[in-house]
Amino acid sequence: MKQILFKNTNISYSDTGKGTAIVLLHGFLENKGMWDFYIPEFAKKNRVITIDLLGHGETECLSYVQTMEDNADAVHAVLSELRIRKAIFVGHSMGGYVALAFAELYPDTIKGLVLLNSTARADSAERKTNRDRAIKAVKQSFMNFVSLSIANLFSEANRERLSSEIESVKKEALKTPLQGIVASLEGMKIRQDREVLLHLTPYPKLLILGEKDPVLNYEETKEQIENTTVKLVTFPDGHMSHIENQDQLLIVLLAFFKSI
């Protein structure tokens, strides 16, 4: 584990391998450990950077609202420390929102972009209401909120099959401090719509979705890439493709990195 100080906040990251840099950004209630299965394979030919986003893993909270831009600036601080000028970004769920914010703020740093179970669109009014409900729920019962949130990310068909994996994801999620959870929910709620980046940016882009994702509507999310050069890969399961479709995802990502 390595750390840098960003705005008096410790940011935790890992740095493995050599070659073209790949930056892996985890989702809400996750941490950089979600990539542990993938790092050895990716690091055979690439330099792999994983970062704990604000208020997650071993990275401290920055404030009571942590925007996607705040996270992007923290990521940029890590890359500056490592003297990385260009990288391929892979963002899972909230990590995708951070990658898009980064792409808007630091466009010259992006060599390729993968949105994994993520969207470029802002929250709808309904989703904003749900974020507010989630903030209330986590303040009332932390354990219940985390347990339900994690189970609901997997497709129904996989909840029994992957019960031990779900338990270990829950265990990691429970390490996320209350302030980190609330600040991230607030930040996701106010994030900007960045669909235009899918249309106008020149670098290769890949959208990976689960057909039975309980969180992201598959058909609606897919609409964003109509009339763009963004490639689409669809898995038959839920929001946690890195677990539900682990081996297939590895093949897809290695092929994408090789193509750049």
Side-chain angles (χ1 to χ4, degrees), residues 16 23 27 35 59 113 123 160 162 176 184 208 217:
T16 316
V23 178
W35 303 109
T59 289
L113 176 64
D123 270 0
E160 202 171 310
L162 297 170
T176 318
S184 298
I208 301 171
N217 181 290

Side-chain angles (χ1 to χ4, degrees), residues 4-7 9-11 13 25 51-54 59 62 67-81 98 102 105-106:
I4 63 154
L5 203 60
F6 165 75
K7 294 186 177 177
T9 303
N10 278 315
I11 310 293
Y13 68 93
L25 301 176
I51 302 169
D52 280 336
L53 297 173
L54 297 170
T59 289
L62 178 70
T67 65
M68 300 307 103
E69 293 83 358
D70 290 333
N71 276 292
D73 287 339
V75 169
H76 186 254
V78 171
L79 298 190
S80 297
E81 172 77 12
V98 174
F102 188 99
L105 291 166
Y106 308 103

Side-chain angles (χ1 to χ4, degrees), residues 88-121:
I88 300 166
F89 281 72
V90 181
H92 179 243
S93 197
M94 183 181 81
Y97 310 155
V98 174
L100 287 161
F102 188 99
E104 188 172 278
L105 291 166
Y106 308 103
D108 295 342
T109 312
I110 306 274
K111 193 168 186 175
L113 176 64
V114 181
L115 296 180
L116 174 60
N117 313 114
S118 193
T119 175
R121 288 180 176 166

Side-chain angles (χ1 to χ4, degrees), residues 98-211:
V98 174
L100 287 161
F102 188 99
E104 188 172 278
L105 291 166
Y106 308 103
D108 295 342
T109 312
I110 306 274
K111 193 168 186 175
L113 176 64
V114 181
L115 296 180
L116 174 60
N117 313 114
S118 193
T119 175
R121 288 180 176 166
D123 270 0
S124 63
E126 185 189 351
R127 287 202 73 172
K128 285 180 181 176
T129 303
N130 288 340
R131 302 262 188 222
D132 287 331
R133 283 197 191 118
I135 290 165
K136 264 186 196 163
V138 73
K139 285 177 177 175
Q140 280 167 357
S141 178
F142 183 85
M143 294 273 293
N144 272 359
F145 172 81
V146 171
S147 292
L148 281 171
S149 296
I150 298 302
N152 288 340
L153 297 173
F154 292 79
S155 71
E156 276 187 51
N158 283 332
R159 286 173 200 172
E160 202 171 310
R161 180 176 74 86
L162 297 170
S163 57
S164 64
E165 287 87 346
I166 291 171
E167 278 312 306
S168 81
V169 175
K170 279 183 193 173
K171 205 171 158 187
E172 287 301 310
L174 286 166
K175 295 176 186 174
T176 318
L178 178 62
Q179 188 190 331
I181 292 175
V182 172
S184 298
L185 285 164
E186 294 281 12
M188 288 189 284
K189 186 176 77 179
I190 60 170
R191 76 181 189 280
Q192 293 174 33
D193 190 299
R194 294 194 163 91
E195 197 175 332
V196 67
L197 293 179
L198 301 181
H199 291 260
L200 298 181
T201 49
Y203 41 77
K205 292 172 286 293
L206 175 62
L207 178 64
I208 301 171
L209 299 175
E211 210 167 0

Side-chain angles (χ1 to χ4, degrees), residues 14 21 28 45 69 72 116-117 125 155 205 211 228 234 237 242:
S14 73
F28 177 59
K45 292 187 176 173
E69 293 83 358
L116 174 60
N117 313 114
S155 71
K205 292 172 286 293
E211 210 167 0
T228 72
T234 301
D237 298 292
H242 60 290

